[in-house]
């Protein structure tokens, strides 16, 4: 039976793969017969993810994406040793939650480096001949509903995630001649370690209110991974420069 989500023969790089959406995406891609390179600064979590991957031909790399200048070099080394890439998923991210009056430059600059500047560095490197396989290219950035709607105390996070959407649209037009598609997925609140870092500051009333904003309830990492796989596979062959919102109805209100 033909599976339009089949990723056989494709090599995919997934950042932020030690947990959450990145881990779920890597595992799903392996189940769809893709070869996956998982990257994260969390060595223990990355090893746990690597053990969950199905099939053979996968690889892992412990790396801190804050080292922006080194990204082209290690992507080139990865492609030379493992094989040139067909897909890239930038799922690495850090939260940045603070009211404007308490927002410190070091905090939002760190978030911007990981969430946004690293995405740009990865996208700049991906099309290079020594890195890109030359066909069926797909880049997926993990944005957020906070890039589409407002909410108190997340101005810096919205800045990071909103920039990804603008970048993806322009990059999609620039890279289309090379058969590289560029899209974003915008999740609502998904139960991940990042969600836990934010939710620990909520009182019961706040948690109840936030849950009520998601008509279908909280999301799971697998819900987002399914959307990412759709964009990586041939199912997304005619989709580029867009934002796929997966939010349990959050932005429908």
């Amino acid at each position: 039976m033909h599976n339009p989500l089949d990723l056989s023969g494709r090599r995919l790089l997934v950042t932020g793969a030690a947990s959450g959406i990145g881990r779920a995406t890597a595992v799903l891609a392996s189940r769809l017969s893709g070869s996956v390179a998982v990257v994260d600064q969390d060595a223990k979590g990355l090893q746990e993810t690597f053990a969950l991957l199905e099939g053979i031909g996968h690889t892992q790399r412990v790396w801190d994406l804050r080292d922006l200048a080194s990204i082209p070099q290690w992507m080139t080394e990865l492609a030379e040793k493992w094989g040139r890439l067909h897909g890239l998923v930038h799922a690495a991210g850090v939260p940045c939650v603070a009211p404007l009056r308490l927002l410190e430059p070091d905090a939002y600059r760190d978030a911007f480096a990981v969430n946004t500047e690293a995405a740009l560095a990865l996208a700049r490197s991906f099309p290079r001949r020594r890195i890109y396989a030359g066909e069926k290219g797909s880049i997926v950035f993990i944005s957020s509903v906070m890039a589409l709607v407002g909410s108190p105390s997340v101005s810096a996070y919205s800045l990071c995630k909103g920039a990804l959407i603008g970048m993806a649209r322009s990059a999609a037009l620039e890279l289309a001649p090379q058969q590289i598609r560029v899209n974003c997925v915008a999740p609502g609140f998904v139960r991940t370690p990042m969600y836990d870092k934010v939710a620990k500051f909520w009182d019961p009333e706040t948690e109840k209110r936030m849950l009520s904003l998601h008509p279908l309830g909280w999301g799971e990492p697998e819900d987002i991974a399914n959307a990412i796989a759709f964009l990586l596979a041939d199912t997304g062959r005619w989709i580029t420069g867009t934002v796929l919102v997966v939010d349990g109805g959050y932005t429908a209100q």
Side-chain angles (χ1 to χ4, degrees):
M1 181 182 295
H2 172 64
N3 177 10
L5 288 169
D6 181 46
L7 294 173
S8 297
R10 302 192 197 185
R11 288 175 294 276
L12 312 165
L13 170 62
V14 181
T15 72
S19 64
I21 293 170
R23 172 178 287 181
T25 299
V27 171
L28 178 58
S30 74
R31 291 174 179 170
L32 293 171
S33 302
S35 298
V36 187
V38 289
V39 176
D40 203 291
Q41 66 170 345
D42 177 2
K44 181 176 182 294
L46 193 65
Q47 183 58 46
E48 292 171 354
T49 296
F50 195 75
L52 295 172
L53 300 180
E54 299 185 8
I56 59 175
H58 311 301
T59 189
Q60 59 181 313
R61 183 73 178 271
V62 178
W63 201 266
D64 187 345
L65 292 171
R66 293 175 179 86
D67 187 0
L68 298 169
S70 69
I71 286 177
Q73 178 182 345
W74 70 252
M75 286 186 72
T76 300
E77 292 174 353
L78 172 67
E80 289 177 345
K81 295 177 181 178
W82 185 58
R84 293 185 296 168
L85 305 176
H86 298 85
L88 161 67
V89 180
H90 182 49
V94 296
C96 187
V97 180
L100 288 171
R101 62 186 176 84
L102 299 178
L103 189 58
E104 295 292 337
D106 287 348
Y108 66 72
R109 285 170 182 158
D110 183 63
F112 196 77
V114 177
N115 297 343
T116 312
E117 288 188 280
L120 178 58
L122 290 161
R124 286 181 62 240
S125 301
F126 184 86
R128 297 182 180 184
R129 291 182 180 179
R130 295 169 65 186
I131 295 175
Y132 172 45
E135 63 174 354
K136 297 184 176 181
S138 178
I139 297 174
V140 182
F141 299 133
I142 309 306
S143 182
S144 168
V145 292
M146 292 298 103
L148 306 172
V149 298
S151 184
S153 300
V154 293
S155 295
Y157 190 71
S158 297
L159 166 71
C160 298
K161 296 301 187 176
L164 285 177
I165 293 175
M167 179 172 63
R169 286 174 175 153
S170 293
L173 297 177
E174 185 172 338
L175 299 179
Q178 294 175 256
Q179 299 183 50
I180 300 173
R181 298 177 291 105
V182 187
N183 294 287
C184 288
V185 173
F189 282 81
V190 177
R191 287 189 283 204
T192 66
M194 184 182 294
Y195 162 87
D196 293 336
K197 290 178 181 178
V198 175
K200 70 181 181 180
F201 296 106
W202 295 345
D203 57 31
E205 186 61 30
T206 299
E207 183 173 11
K208 181 179 178 180
R209 179 176 61 82
M210 293 304 297
L211 179 58
S212 71
L213 295 174
H214 295 74
L216 297 182
W218 302 123
E220 299 293 341
E222 290 75 18
D223 297 317
I224 313 306
N226 290 338
I228 294 168
F230 173 81
L231 292 172
L232 290 172
D234 287 344
T235 42
R237 61 166 295 277
W238 210 49
I239 302 172
T240 196
T242 194
V243 183
L244 179 53
V245 180
V246 186
D247 66 353
Y250 186 95
T251 55
Q253 302 176 74

